[in-house]
């Protein structure tokens, strides 16, 4: 009777759970990222696969996350206080959940707040946070403007985000952050119509007799000009309130025309020159009424003892 050859058994292949690098999405999904979350957000299919559209969406989210992570890592340590972030116009809370999964869940005393007006989206986000065990996520069913008065939010918020918050909601998020003494802003403005309306009404009185009036003669140009002026004013406004501002692209223009990313970090040095330029632009374009609403300047920026630019 012949004996069977002694064939050594091959070691079993490492599973994704045992070795994250063995996961078929290892090159796409960040270490420690919850695959269950990505499925619930419909970034991954139920089979755990990633199609081309989802791959592009995931890269965009990670790209934005890198900006926010860098800002949060640069914040001075808050002694005895949790790191807090308020995400305005949260929608389905893609950004909030990714931020929590990759960053906040590793900070035991941190808290992330999602602010959204659509009740059904708030309910879904609350249910998903509970399902995933994301206990330090809260969702408020209020507008950005109403959130400044909400007792559910702490007196101070470290980071304020607002992605594609339409028209004046971005300005409301800035007002919220200033009231809450935010240490950083991450803003992707969208659909700025307020300044365009003012331009249409006043036609920038001081410029109507110059060739510059051609910049808003056609309605489409008025809208685009209004968006550009609005974001310039927002940057000057933040600088006047003591923030260092950087403006960059969020993603390639081929993906979205609403692509301007405004990053602001608090330094405490209020720039009088920024306040003066803001006022001059408002005056030049016949928009001085906005000084009493959207762009109220700090008093010390208008006095002789203001900090130099």
């Amino acid at each position: 009777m012949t004996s069977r050859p002694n064939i050594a058994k091959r070691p079993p292949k490492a599973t994704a759970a045992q070795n994250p690098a063995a996961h078929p999405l290892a090159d796409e999904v960040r270490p420690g990222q919850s695959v269950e979350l990505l499925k619930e957000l419909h970034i991954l299919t139920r089979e755990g696969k990633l199609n081309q559209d989802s791959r592009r969406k995931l890269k965009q989210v990670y790209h934005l996350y890198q900006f926010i992570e860098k800002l949060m890592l640069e914040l001075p340590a808050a002694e005895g206080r949790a790191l807090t972030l308020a995400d305005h116009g949260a929608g389905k809370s893609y950004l909030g959940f990714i931020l929590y999964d990759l960053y906040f869940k590793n900070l035991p005393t941190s808290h992330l707040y999602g602010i959204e007006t659509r009740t059904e989206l708030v309910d879904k986000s609350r249910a998903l946070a509970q399902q995933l065990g994301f206990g330090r996520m809260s969702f408020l069913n209020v507008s950005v403007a109403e959130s400044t008065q909400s007792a559910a939010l702490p007196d101070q918020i470290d980071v304020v985000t607002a992605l594609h918050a339409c028209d004046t909601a971005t300005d409301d998020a800035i007002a919220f952050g200033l009231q809450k003494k935010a240490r950083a802003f991450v803003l992707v403005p969208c659909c700025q119509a307020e300044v365009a309306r003012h331009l249409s009404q006043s036609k920038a009185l001081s410029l109507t007799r110059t060739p510059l009036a051609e910049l808003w003669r056609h309605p489409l140009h008025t809208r685009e000009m209004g968006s550009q002026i609005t974001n310039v004013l927002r940057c000057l406004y933040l600088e006047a309130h003591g923030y260092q501002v950087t403006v960059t692209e969020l993603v390639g223009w081929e993906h979205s025309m609403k692509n301007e990313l405004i990053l602001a970090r608090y330094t405490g040095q209020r720039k009088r020159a920024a306040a003066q330029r803001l006022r001059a632009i408002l005056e030049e374009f016949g928009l001085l009424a906005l000084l009493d609403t959207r762009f109220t300047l700090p008093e010390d920026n208008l006095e002789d003892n203001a900090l130099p630019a």
Side-chain angles (χ1 to χ4, degrees):
M1 183 175 178
T2 59
S3 61
R4 299 177 66 181
N6 185 16
I7 301 175
K9 292 183 179 179
R10 292 181 179 179
K13 290 183 178 181
T15 65
Q18 294 167 329
N19 178 13
H23 196 285
L25 296 170
D27 293 335
E28 308 283 353
V29 177
R30 291 194 167 209
Q33 177 79 73
S34 168
V35 172
E36 181 186 359
L37 169 63
L38 296 179
K39 288 181 180 180
E40 292 294 337
L41 295 178
H42 304 294
I43 292 176
L44 295 180
T45 66
R46 287 299 170 190
E47 294 75 32
K49 296 181 179 180
L50 194 66
N51 61 36
Q52 192 59 37
D53 184 60
S54 296
R55 180 175 284 106
R56 184 168 55 249
K57 182 187 296 183
L58 187 61
K59 285 184 176 180
Q60 289 176 16
V61 171
Y62 282 158
H63 184 60
L64 179 59
Y65 170 77
Q66 289 177 326
F67 284 110
I68 300 174
E69 180 188 37
K70 185 175 184 294
L71 269 179
M72 291 191 294
L73 290 172
E74 290 174 351
L75 295 178
E79 296 182 7
R81 188 171 54 78
L83 178 66
T84 52
L85 182 146
D87 182 25
H88 289 278
K92 295 179 181 178
S93 293
Y94 278 78
L95 176 63
F97 280 111
I98 296 292
L99 279 169
Y100 190 95
D101 190 35
L102 292 178
Y103 196 88
F104 279 77
K105 74 180 181 184
N106 299 316
L107 299 176
T109 59
S110 64
H111 205 102
L112 192 150
Y113 300 88
I115 296 165
E116 172 58 47
T117 57
R118 288 166 287 184
T119 305
E120 68 278 10
L121 296 184
V122 172
D123 291 341
K124 287 180 180 178
S125 293
R126 287 171 177 168
L128 181 55
Q130 184 174 10
Q131 174 186 331
L132 296 171
F134 290 1
R136 286 173 282 103
M137 288 189 83
S138 299
F139 298 92
L140 283 67
N141 190 193
V142 296
S143 69
V144 181
E146 292 168 341
S147 66
T148 57
Q149 307 301 323
S150 175
L153 288 159
D155 292 336
Q156 184 166 359
I157 294 287
D158 293 300
V159 182
V160 172
T161 62
L163 279 85
H164 301 132
C166 284
D167 200 8
T168 59
T170 298
D171 300 298
D172 292 334
I174 293 174
F176 169 92
L178 293 178
Q179 179 180 310
K180 297 292 185 180
K181 300 178 177 64
R183 299 196 287 168
F185 286 90
V186 180
L187 309 169
V188 180
C190 181
C191 309
Q192 303 96 312
E194 185 179 41
V195 167
R197 287 193 296 270
H198 282 276
L199 281 176
S200 296
Q201 292 165 4
S202 67
K203 295 297 182 184
L205 299 178
S206 64
L207 299 176
T208 51
R209 298 182 182 279
T210 75
L212 289 176
E214 292 297 317
L215 294 174
W216 55 87
R217 179 161 63 93
H218 299 287
L220 177 61
H221 293 163
T222 301
R223 186 182 68 194
E224 295 303 315
M225 189 68 177
S227 293
Q228 179 75 357
I229 294 171
T230 300
N231 287 338
V232 169
L233 293 172
R234 286 166 175 162
C235 293
L236 290 171
Y237 185 56
L238 285 166
E239 289 177 340
H241 280 273
Y243 290 83
Q244 179 184 7
V245 176
T246 301
V247 181
T248 187
E249 292 181 7
L250 174 58
V251 292
W253 290 105
E254 68 273 16
H255 298 304
S256 173
M257 293 301 291
K258 306 300 181 184
N259 192 38
E260 188 168 337
L261 174 62
I262 299 173
L263 304 168
R265 186 170 60 86
Y266 186 70
T267 64
Q269 182 163 351
R270 296 176 175 179
K271 294 186 177 180
R272 183 170 58 180
Q276 291 170 339
R277 289 167 189 159
L278 187 152
R279 174 183 281 275
I281 291 173
L282 290 174
E283 184 173 5
E284 195 79 8
F285 285 94
L287 302 170
L288 276 177
L290 295 180
L291 277 176
D292 299 324
T293 55
R294 295 291 169 198
F295 301 111
T296 305
L297 294 169
E299 291 183 6
D300 61 348
N301 259 326
L302 304 177
E303 296 173 355
D304 292 336
N305 61 353
L307 291 171

